[in-house]
Structure formats: C-alpha cells, structure tokens
Amino acid sequence: MSKLRLENVSYKYEKSKNFVLKDISFEFEKGNIYAIIGKSGAGKTTLLSLLSGLTKPTSGKIFLDEEDTKNKDMYSYRSQDVGVVFQSFNLLPKLTAVENVILSMDVSGRKFGNKKEIAMELLNKVGLDEDEAKRRILKLSGGQQQRVAIARALSYGPEIILADEPTGNLDGETQDDIMEIFRKLAKDENKCVIIVTHSPEVTEKADVVYELKKNDSGKNGTRMKK
Amino acid sequence: MYILKNAWRSISRAKVRNILIGVIVLVIAISSCVALSIREAADSAKEQYLEELEVTAQISIDRQSMMQGFSSESGGFGRNSMKEMMTNQEDLSLEEMLVYAEAESVKDFYYTGTTSVDTDGNWEAIDTTGITEDESESEGESDAQGITSMGDQGRGGQIVGGNKPDMSQMGRMGVQGDCTIVGYSSDDAMTEFLAGTSSITDGEMFEEGTSEYECVISDELATYNEFAVGDVITVANPNNEEETYQLTIVGIYHNEQSGQTQAGMMGGFSASSDSANQIYMSYEALSAILTTSEGSAETTTDEKTGRTSSTALKNQVSGTYLFSTVEDYEKFEEEARELGLSENYSISSSDLNSYEQSMEPLNNLSEYAMYFFVVILIIGGIILAVLNIFNIRERKYEIGVLAAIGMKKWKIAVQYTTELLCVTFIAIIIGTGIGAAGSVPITNALLEKQIESQTSTKENQMANFGRGEMPSDMGENVPSDMPSDASSDAKGKGGKGMGNFFNTMGSTVTDYVDQIDSATNLTVVIELIGVGILLTLISSLFAIIFVLRYDPLKIMANRE
C-alpha cells in the first residue's frame, strides 16, 4: 500500500493560465528514497509544496494511507505526518538549534519524554555536537543549518520526509553525510524519503526517480527508475 | 503552554523592540494612572464627605412660588393684592415645624427662638452704628410702623449658616431693641459652638433645656460692661420699658468672627444685630419670658387699618431639620408635602450648596483629567497599533516558518498578542507604581492651580463690580483635608457645612477641597489593567488580521 499517492494532480497558480503540473500520478512507499528531478520551472518545488500540504491541487487528489488529504486538517498534516527540509532551511534565527527542534515537537501536539534530550540526540545523530546544538541558527554554517533542518523534520517522528535540494549548497563530503542520513532513515527506520534535486549523485542513490518536464500538452511527470 | 514559553523567549530576545513598546505603554500607564487617580480622588472625596455629612435643612416661605401662584390664579398682576397675600403668609410656627419633624426621614430637629430686648439703662449694648439713642428710637418707631415691609424682605431670604438667627427677619419681632436673645432648643442647635467658631472662655454653658433665666454673653459685651460670671443683667421689653427680666450670666463666650464680620456688616442697621450683643439662653427659658410678657401685654387696635398690635415680646422661631443622608433630605420634601406643607414654603439646605461649591475645583480637575485620559488612550492606541503593524511585517518570515511547520494561525496570533500583553502588563505595573507615587503630589499641585484660577476669577469679577478684594482672613482657603479631617464632623453636624458663608460684599467665601491624601486604589489598578487589555487587543487586532492573511507558501517563496 502506498504511503502517499498522487492521482491525476494538476496545479496552476492563481493568476496564471498555464498549469505548472498536469495530470501527475505518483506513488510513494515507505522504505524507499525517491528523487524528483527536472529542469528549472518544471514544477519540482510546486510538487513538494503539494506533498508537504502547503498548498492544494487545482484538480486531482492526494492520498495519505489511501485517505484523501482534502478532508484532512493541513496544519496537523504538516506538523505530524510529514517532515519537510526546505531548500533555505527555514529555521528561526532567534532560536538555537535545539530550540528550533523542540518547537517543532511542541507544535506537533504529540507527547514526548524529555524533549530537550530527544532533540539533543537527534542533533547528535545528524552530526551536531552539544556546543553547536546550543548555538543560535545564524552562528551555524550552511551545512550545520541543513542538519538542524533535518533534525527538526525528524523530531516528531513523521513517516514521510520531504527535502528540497538538501545538498544543493553543500560541499561533497557533507553531501555524502546528508545522503547517508536519508539512506538510514529510509532503510533502517522504514521512512518514505522524497528528495527534490538537481544532483546526479542524489539521483544515483535514489530507489525511484520521477522526472518532471515542461510540457503544456499533456502529462508532465514520468517514472524513470527502479 | 509552549505558546507562552515562545512568547516570553521572543520578548527576551527582541529587547529593543519590546523596550520601545514598553516605554510607550509606560507613558500611557503613568498618564492614565494620574488621570484615573484624580477622578477616583474626586469620587472618594465626594463619597466620604456625603457619608459623613449630616444634611441640615430649613423650611422658608417661597416668595417666588407665591408670586407665580398668584399670577396664575388671578390672571394678572396686582401689587396690593400680592402684598396683602404675602403679608398674611405667616412663617411656620414651632407647632407646625414639629409636625414635619415627625417625618420618617428626619433624624433630629432643633430650633432657636430670637427676640429683641433693650437694656435696663444700667448697662449698655455695644453700638457701632453711630446712631444716637433718639435716632435709634425713632428708627424703632418707624420699624414698628413698617413691620410689614421689613418682614417681607426677610421672608424670601434663606437662612444662611444653618441655625444662626436671621437678622433680616427682625422686622417680624416688633420694635428693635439693643440686644438679641437667642434661645436654643438643645446643644445641637448651637452650631457655632459645635463647629468651634464660638467657645466658652469663662464659666460654663447653661444646662440644656433649662427654664432658669440663665444666659451666656459675648466676651466683648462682658468687657464693655465689666460683667463677670455670676452677675445679673436686666433686660427690658422695648415696647414696654416697665417690663423687665433678670438674667444670670453663667458663661462668657468668644466668637472668632465677631467684630470682624457681623459687626462691620450688620452694625450699620442696628446694635441688636451685632453678634456681640447676642445673649444666648435655653429656649425653655426664653419661652418662659415670652409667656410672662404675653400675660402682661397690652393690645391696641388701629382704627384706620383695623390691625391689632401687642406690646408683648415678639419671637422669631427658626427650625432646622437634620438628616443622616442626602437621600433622606430628598425624601423629606415628599413627606413634608404629605404632612400638609403648603407649596408656598420651600425646603432648602445650605450644606449641599456649600458641598457642591467646595468640590468644584476637584470636579473640574477630574473632568479635565478624564478628557486627557481619553486623548492619551486614542493617541497611545494609534501609536501602538502602527508599531505593531511594523512589528508584524518585520516578523513575516517567522510567521511563514511557524505556519509551515504546522502551527495554526490563531495560535501564532495568540502568541504575538501574549507577547504584547506581557510587555504591556510589565509597563502597566511599573507605570502604576510611578503613577501612584506621583498622583497625589501631581493632583494637589494641579488642584492648587485650579483653585488659584477659580479664586482669581472670582476676585476679578468682584473687582469688575468695584467691590474690591476680600479681607485677607476670609479670602484664604482653609485646607479642609476632607477625608481625614476631624472637623468635618462638626461641619457635617452644624449648619455651616463646608462653606464659610460670610460676606461683606455679596459674595461667598468657599472652603475648597484643596488636598487629597490618596488617589490610586484597587479600582484604578483594575481600570489600568482593563486599559492594558483594551490597548493590547486594539493594537493586536491589526496584527492578527495580518497574520490571518499571510500565506506561508508565498512568504517562503518570496524569501527564496
């Protein structure tokens, strides 16, 4: 059974005549890494916004565990069901790394034991030490911020992890580290990891690749690999 | 719970922004605290004074009402008929006054009798009128003939200063003598002694209700005639010099205002009007003298007018009704009418008039303070709202992130409102402290200015009428310190109220409330908290609208 399924999803922006996404039908399962690739303007980030519940399709349906998300409260969907790693991280600069992670746990409304301990463990797991975890976001490097964003996305235990160009701004070694984290999440923790990327390395490591193409005439999403 | 934690974290990590908001709220809080404290001081002073105030009232002939009634009944103006009607309208007798004293609202009733007497020639009354005895006698005769006209003048006059005998009503008392005997029904009727303007300096006051011919005289009269306690003085009926009464002096009193006020003011009319020539005794004793006088009086009838006149001593009774509360006083009118009081009589209280006058500067200040308060609220509210709008726009990204990670928009709005509430409350607590400490001196300073301005306006008005300035001892405003002043009891009980109603030039000197002891109380604090909540909600409203309108996707897309 698919964890997340798009059925004939199309999307166009409010004041635009053209569809960014047209008739997309993708399936995502737990335990796999999915890569969504495509040229700029193909609709990769739009697709991620749809998957993360930040916007709703113009037509078509998105199913979570075969339940139409149309009937779901999108705030609780975002805070509990999916963990998103944004391209520009979207962390709160006035908070420390650990506070950013704890905030997401608070917002999810789920009950946790010692939140600070859990957050610290998560940050350690993604490669940040205690000292770095207590620093404010602006005092961390891009790679460190990326790790914090991943830790935040994992903090409340979502089964789906969405990442937008998670390795885009990182050096080769850090890229490998991050991809290793995603691999473990998918393979060891049986999560469904969906990555929007340009990177051939990431694409290489993905189990399934979906390509988005600019195509006004018909479907613009194709399954490429498995 | 995490909303509060976040809010507090946000306050502590954006110090400059929150200090700026805090300073604005602090200024609003201090100004509001002072304004509300002034209003509260005025209200509590009013309330406390009214609680302590025992209202006194008198019933007097209402000439205006009679005139109105006359014109509507007769359908026109007839001076002679009107004069006749007013002449025939008698002052209330003691018996009638006692009927109205039975009203439920009346707490106590006391009265004085006033009669004019002559000396027996062995001693003299103090006379600063400059009128010789012959002139005085001829004046007395003319008074006797002109009883009606003098009496009419006296009828409409209000008895000012409580139970003090009204000199303008002397025309009803027959021929004017050298002295005035005032008979008091009880100690309560001796308002000047209760208020402290008069006090016994030698001997003691006669027994309350005694029918012995015992009296107290003024120290001026005693010094003038070398009288001492225990001496016996003889007074005579001005209509019949053969009819004399012997009174034993049991006490000598001193009146603080005697010689400065009434002497100068009234001495121009007759010696008997001079307060120094007033002989005080019990009403019972005076009543005994009057009964004796009536028994030996001769009655004659004028052939032309048919009017009868008697040589008996005339008595002018003045009654004072005492009420526990203002409500009782207001109720009394209804009750008195039910008991048969004619519409030709009116009930009035000098206490309430003096109370209203004394409160005038504080009330004015309170009114201005409330206008100031409203202006501060409006301006403060606008500044805070604008500041909040900028604040929210600046935090747009934060709103986008919070919404993106699934925090509901209303929770974001609550967090921002909580932040503002916390800053507002801290500022209000500090502001209330500063305001409370400053409100008393500020209020007193403003009150002083207000009284100065009020006094100066009145003095200018008098100067415009060419009446010059008030005597310095009367022009001063004696601090009444109402809430804690012990003298307020005496003021409340006595007919004097708060106002020192003496005048030489036709204007009154009012004892203004010029001090307040405390102003900021629980009510002010609660109101300030209300102001804080109101300001926060109004200024947050715009912020909330912004938060609800923001789309996280757009915010983040713009940023990227």
Side-chain angles (χ1 to χ4, degrees):
Chain A
M1 187 182 77
S2 311
K3 181 67 190 168
L4 194 63
R5 185 163 64 85
L6 276 70
E7 189 181 281
N8 304 321
V9 167
S10 298
Y11 185 84
K12 64 171 183 165
Y13 287 99
E14 267 177 31
K15 290 172 185 172
S16 170
K17 287 177 185 172
N18 301 324
F19 281 90
V20 182
L21 298 171
K22 201 160 186 185
D23 213 12
I24 303 285
S25 295
F26 290 163
E27 283 187 26
F28 304 94
E29 288 171 9
K30 290 203 281 186
N32 285 336
I33 297 176
Y34 293 87
I36 296 172
I37 60 168
K39 290 181 178 170
S40 293
K44 298 188 297 294
T45 302
T46 304
L47 180 64
L48 194 89
S49 298
L50 285 168
L51 293 172
S52 63
L54 283 169
T55 190
K56 288 189 173 180
T58 310
S59 65
K61 289 174 180 175
I62 299 172
F63 294 92
L64 174 73
D65 295 327
E66 295 307 319
E67 187 194 338
D68 194 346
T69 54
K70 195 178 165 184
N71 306 320
K72 255 184 112 52
D73 170 20
M74 294 318 280
Y75 285 97
S76 68
Y77 174 76
R78 289 206 292 267
S79 64
Q80 293 175 357
D81 298 318
V82 293
V84 187
V85 181
F86 296 97
Q87 189 174 12
S88 53
F89 320 132
N90 288 342
L91 298 164
L92 293 172
K94 280 178 187 149
L95 303 186
T96 62
V98 71
E99 284 169 349
N100 264 285
V101 176
I102 292 172
L103 179 64
S104 278
M105 294 161 84
D106 286 332
V107 171
S108 74
R110 287 183 174 156
K111 287 188 177 172
F112 298 93
N114 187 331
K115 285 180 197 165
K116 196 170 179 184
E117 218 167 83
I118 296 169
M120 277 295 188
E121 268 176 33
L122 269 173
L123 287 166
N124 286 338
K125 194 171 144 187
V126 294
L128 288 177
D129 61 29
E130 198 171 328
D131 179 50
E132 288 162 338
K134 286 177 181 172
R135 279 190 217 158
R136 291 213 192 162
I137 296 304
L138 292 178
K139 291 185 176 169
L140 296 173
S141 68
Q144 287 168 328
Q145 288 185 32
Q146 184 72 286
R147 290 164 201 268
V148 176
I150 294 169
R152 182 180 69 178
L154 299 174
S155 63
Y156 43 89
E159 292 189 319
I160 303 162
I161 303 295
L162 301 168
D164 192 359
E165 299 283 6
T167 57
N169 305 318
L170 307 177
D171 59 76
E173 198 184 332
T174 315
Q175 273 185 33
D176 291 342
D177 286 350
I178 298 290
M179 279 314 294
E180 181 56 21
I181 293 168
F182 285 132
R183 196 196 63 76
K184 280 183 180 171
L185 285 171
K187 304 301 170 189
D188 300 348
E189 296 180 31
N190 197 31
K191 303 220 183 257
C192 171
V193 178
I194 303 167
I195 303 170
V196 169
T197 185
H198 276 117
S199 164
E201 289 82 10
V202 174
T203 311
E204 184 62 32
K205 287 173 184 170
D207 298 308
V208 179
V209 177
Y210 287 116
E211 187 182 18
L212 293 174
K213 285 181 182 169
K214 259 190 167 178
N215 182 358
D216 295 339
S217 54
K219 283 187 181 181
N220 64 349
T222 323
R223 184 175 176 131
M224 290 181 66
K225 169 186 167 186
K226 178 144 184 186
Chain B
M1 188 61 193
Y2 77 91
I3 292 177
L4 287 178
K5 206 165 69 182
N6 267 6
W8 183 248
R9 199 156 45 198
S10 182
I11 291 168
S12 61
R13 290 181 190 174
K15 288 191 183 74
V16 176
R17 180 183 67 208
N18 289 303
I19 286 172
L20 180 65
I21 294 174
V23 167
I24 292 169
V25 178
L26 185 71
V27 172
I28 296 171
I30 294 171
S31 314
S32 303
C33 183
V34 171
L36 290 172
S37 297
I38 290 173
R39 191 218 51 200
E40 201 57 25
D43 286 354
S44 61
K46 190 176 172 181
E47 207 173 294
Q48 199 159 350
Y49 184 69
L50 284 177
E51 264 176 28
E52 288 172 5
L53 180 71
E54 285 186 326
V55 185
T56 58
Q58 290 80 34
I59 300 176
S60 53
I61 294 171
D62 188 349
R63 203 165 56 189
Q64 278 192 342
S65 162
M66 282 174 70
M67 284 177 168
Q68 278 171 2
F70 181 80
S71 11
S72 60
E73 275 169 27
S74 63
F77 183 81
R79 186 180 293 156
N80 288 335
S81 315
M82 195 182 283
K83 186 176 176 181
E84 194 182 330
M85 185 184 75
M86 287 193 288
T87 309
N88 293 335
Q89 186 67 50
E90 293 287 334
D91 283 329
L92 286 183
S93 67
L94 181 58
E95 289 70 28
E96 286 172 310
M97 288 179 190
L98 285 167
V99 169
Y100 307 126
E102 292 301 312
E104 267 181 34
S105 54
V106 177
K107 184 188 172 192
D108 197 6
F109 172 69
Y110 49 79
Y111 49 92
T112 58
T114 312
T115 194
S116 188
V117 292
D118 263 344
T119 65
D120 65 347
N122 293 325
W123 59 283
E124 280 182 31
I126 296 171
D127 188 356
T128 55
T129 60
I131 302 168
T132 62
E133 202 166 317
D134 290 343
E135 284 171 331
S136 182
E137 274 174 15
S138 68
E139 188 189 309
E141 281 164 23
S142 73
D143 276 348
Q145 287 159 3
I147 283 172
T148 308
S149 59
M150 275 289 275
D152 284 349
Q153 281 172 12
R155 280 173 183 176
Q158 185 180 317
I159 300 170
V160 181
N163 211 32
K164 200 170 177 57
D166 189 353
M167 299 309 168
S168 63
Q169 297 191 359
M170 284 301 230
R172 287 201 167 256
M173 295 162 61
V175 176
Q176 290 286 351
D178 302 324
C179 301
T180 302
I181 295 180
V182 184
Y184 290 97
S185 66
S186 65
D187 287 350
D188 285 341
M190 307 185 79
T191 55
E192 288 190 349
F193 287 87
L194 292 172
T197 47
S198 289
S199 57
I200 295 288
T201 53
D202 194 13
E204 58 182 10
M205 182 58 75
F206 49 82
E207 285 296 317
E208 194 176 2
T210 182
S211 53
E212 297 291 321
Y213 288 1
E214 291 173 343
C215 68
V216 294
I217 61 169
S218 74
D219 50 358
E220 289 172 76
L221 191 62
T223 309
Y224 190 59
N225 289 290
E226 295 181 346
F227 285 146
V229 172
D231 287 352
V232 175
I233 56 171
T234 307
V235 293
N237 183 346
N239 305 313
N240 177 9
E241 294 294 334
E242 302 299 317
E243 183 187 326
T244 59
Y245 301 92
Q246 289 190 320
L247 314 177
T248 307
I249 300 169
V250 293
I252 292 168
Y253 71 90
H254 172 72
N255 184 317
E256 281 176 10
Q257 277 129 3
S258 174
Q260 305 168 358
T261 53
Q262 281 96 332
M265 171 174 74
M266 303 299 286
F269 297 120
S270 73
S272 68
S273 306
D274 195 323
S275 67
N277 294 330
Q278 288 185 1
I279 299 166
Y280 297 158
M281 57 196 303
S282 122
Y283 186 85
E284 294 300 318
L286 176 63
S287 182
I289 290 172
L290 293 169
T291 310
T292 312
S293 176
E294 210 145 291
S296 60
E298 287 174 16
T299 306
T300 52
T301 306
D302 191 312
E303 285 177 8
K304 287 180 185 170
T305 59
R307 191 173 288 168
T308 57
S309 59
S310 165
T311 59
L313 283 167
K314 301 288 188 296
N315 180 31
Q316 178 78 36
V317 181
S318 168
T320 300
Y321 298 88
L322 186 68
F323 307 94
S324 302
T325 61
V326 178
E327 288 74 29
D328 281 347
Y329 163 70
E330 286 163 353
K331 202 172 141 196
F332 177 61
E333 169 129 26
E334 201 181 312
E335 290 178 341
R337 299 289 176 213
E338 278 173 15
L339 289 167
L341 181 67
S342 151
E343 291 294 333
N344 291 340
Y345 295 93
S346 65
I347 300 165
S348 58
S349 169
S350 57
D351 298 334
L352 289 183
N353 293 339
S354 59
Y355 152 72
E356 275 161 18
Q357 282 188 341
S358 69
M359 290 297 293
E360 203 180 338
L362 192 55
N363 280 338
N364 284 347
L365 195 60
S366 170
E367 200 177 328
Y368 299 145
M370 290 319 287
Y371 288 137
F372 177 67
F373 172 66
V374 171
V375 170
I376 280 284
L377 271 195
I378 293 170
I379 295 174
I382 292 170
I383 293 173
L384 271 185
V386 170
L387 212 62
N388 250 329
I389 290 168
F390 282 116
N391 180 16
I392 293 297
R393 288 178 72 86
E394 188 193 312
R395 297 174 73 180
K396 208 169 168 180
Y397 167 69
E398 191 182 327
I399 295 166
V401 172
L402 290 171
I405 63 171
M407 189 166 173
K408 287 185 168 70
K409 281 182 178 176
W410 69 264
K411 284 187 179 175
I412 299 172
V414 168
Q415 183 190 314
Y416 286 10
T417 309
T418 308
E419 284 176 29
L420 192 62
L421 261 180
C422 289
V423 176
T424 305
F425 271 93
I426 292 168
I428 280 183
I429 290 165
I430 299 169
T432 307
I434 298 171
S439 63
V440 172
I442 291 171
T443 308
N444 284 338
L446 292 173
L447 202 53
E448 196 184 327
K449 292 279 170 208
Q450 178 71 24
I451 291 170
E452 266 177 30
S453 139
Q454 204 127 346
T455 312
S456 143
T457 309
K458 283 190 176 172
E459 279 174 1
N460 286 342
Q461 283 170 353
M462 286 179 67
N464 292 343
F465 280 96
R467 288 174 181 151
E469 291 182 2
M470 285 179 283
S472 59
D473 59 324
M474 291 170 65
E476 284 171 8
N477 290 298
V478 184
S480 61
D481 202 8
M482 277 208 335
S484 57
D485 193 356
S487 69
S488 62
D489 280 339
K491 285 174 180 174
K493 264 190 182 177
K496 288 174 66 62
M498 288 201 64
N500 292 322
F501 278 77
F502 295 109
N503 92 45
T504 52
M505 290 142 298
S507 74
T508 55
V509 177
T510 310
D511 190 3
Y512 292 125
V513 176
D514 66 349
Q515 288 278 320
I516 57 146
D517 288 341
S518 63
T520 310
N521 56 16
L522 189 64
T523 313
V524 172
V525 174
I526 291 170
E527 282 172 338
L528 280 173
I529 291 171
V531 166
I533 293 172
L534 190 73
L535 273 181
T536 307
L537 292 182
I538 290 171
S539 55
S540 297
L541 195 66
F542 298 97
I544 290 167
I545 292 168
F546 271 82
V547 170
L548 296 179
R549 281 180 58 223
Y550 282 154
D551 179 358
L553 186 62
K554 277 184 191 166
I555 294 172
M556 285 185 296
N558 287 343
R559 189 174 168 91
E560 278 170 22

